[in-house]
Amino acid sequence: MEDDVTIVVMTRDRAGELRHSLPRHEAPVIVVDNGSTDGTADVAREAGARLIRLPENRGAAARNIGVREADTPYVAFADDDSWWAPGALRRAARTMDAYPRTALVTARVLVGEDERLEPVSEEMARSPLGHPEHLPGRAVLGFLACAALVRRDAFLDAGGFSGTLHFGGEEELLALDLASAGWGLAYLPELVVHHHPSSQRPDPALRLRRQMRNRLLTAWLRRPLPAFGKEVLAALATPDGRGALADAARTWPSVARDRRRLPPEVERARAALDGD
């Protein structure tokens, strides 16, 4: 398995979390440090991880650098406060070997010491997209980055994570682009990731606003105008949403040329997630 999978961990100023999580990984680790000013780099080196230090915070796009540096066919992502359960990466890699049309598998996430099921995992288990024969599990059009294993070449061909979105709900755009390229994405509950959320987390209101901003931008970049309009109307209904819309509007001039409609079959699948 060590010849097949590399783990990429994106982090920033989380030395304590890394000290706890890095020893738990079962494959070689590349730590991409988003401009930390604490002891993050020292902890990564002490744990034997390969370290890539960036001069500034590039958000989720920092993971792309780690993927490019990996020399394995598969790359698993982990946060600085998460790790894959024993045996999960081996099983994920073997599954990808058996399903060559699958670009990404995403695991069931258990949160905290009491191992609560992550609500997003619960939603994916009920995905209305079913279980096509060419996929190893239920089809999805999203994932949690800390619980995903990707086919390296497919990830890079799709462009990886957007630098524009930075962080917060950045997964959907990549999922849509992988699906548009003809790849499948699947949820596999038999794979488990443990997530013990750090106490050093962004302000919840700021995090929500950023996620809403990125949902709006993703809709603008890939979905038909009526679907984008529905997102705008939903945002206008709350103060946080209106703030997110203002944030998105400031970004639109820089992404206007990147708008690209989804193939009809992918748009139908995406609309089904909204119950349309």
Side-chain angles (χ1 to χ4, degrees), residues 14 78 84 96 101 103 109 157 182 202 206-207 223 230 261:
R14 295 277 190 85
W84 291 71
M96 295 284 270
R101 294 175 59 189
V109 178
D157 287 346
L206 177 62
R207 185 179 180 88
R223 305 202 61 197
K230 288 181 64 175
R261 286 281 300 274

Side-chain angles (χ1 to χ4, degrees), residues 78-230:
D79 287 347
D80 43 38
D81 54 6
S82 75
W83 57 91
W84 291 71
L89 288 177
R90 182 183 301 277
R91 186 167 187 173
R94 297 290 79 82
T95 299
M96 295 284 270
D97 287 344
Y99 288 86
R101 294 175 59 189
T102 301
L104 180 150
V105 293
T106 185
R108 177 166 51 104
V109 178
L110 302 179
V111 182
E113 295 289 349
D114 55 353
E115 300 191 340
R116 306 181 308 277
L117 181 63
E118 162 65 50
V120 175
S121 296
E122 190 172 0
E123 290 177 15
M124 288 192 290
R126 300 194 304 267
S127 168
L129 304 182
H131 184 171
E133 291 184 0
H134 67 279
L135 290 182
R138 190 168 287 272
V140 293
L141 277 177
F143 59 95
L144 291 173
C146 72
L149 180 139
V150 298
R151 196 176 298 274
R152 179 179 178 273
D153 289 347
F155 176 93
L156 293 175
D157 287 346
F161 290 102
S162 166
T164 299
L165 300 186
H166 199 261
F167 190 74
E170 70 275 9
E171 296 95 341
E172 183 185 4
L173 182 59
L174 174 58
L176 293 173
D177 286 348
L178 286 168
S180 296
W183 292 103
L185 297 81
Y187 172 62
L188 301 183
E190 62 268 28
L191 305 177
V192 172
V193 163
H194 296 282
H195 182 206
H196 289 200
S198 170
S199 59
Q200 302 178 51
R201 297 176 69 81
D203 175 80
L206 177 62
R207 185 179 180 88
L208 174 62
R209 179 164 164 166
R210 187 181 299 166
Q211 290 171 337
M212 296 175 73
R213 181 201 80 137
N214 287 345
R215 183 178 175 96
L216 286 160
L217 288 172
T218 298
W220 164 255
L221 287 167
R222 296 292 181 266
R223 305 202 61 197
L225 291 178
F228 171 66
K230 288 181 64 175

Side-chain angles (χ1 to χ4, degrees), residues 239-260:
D240 286 336
R242 291 190 289 274
L245 185 58
D247 294 342
R250 285 189 286 271
T251 306
W252 276 323
S254 66
V255 301
R257 295 182 180 180
D258 297 329
R259 178 169 164 78
R260 184 174 71 248

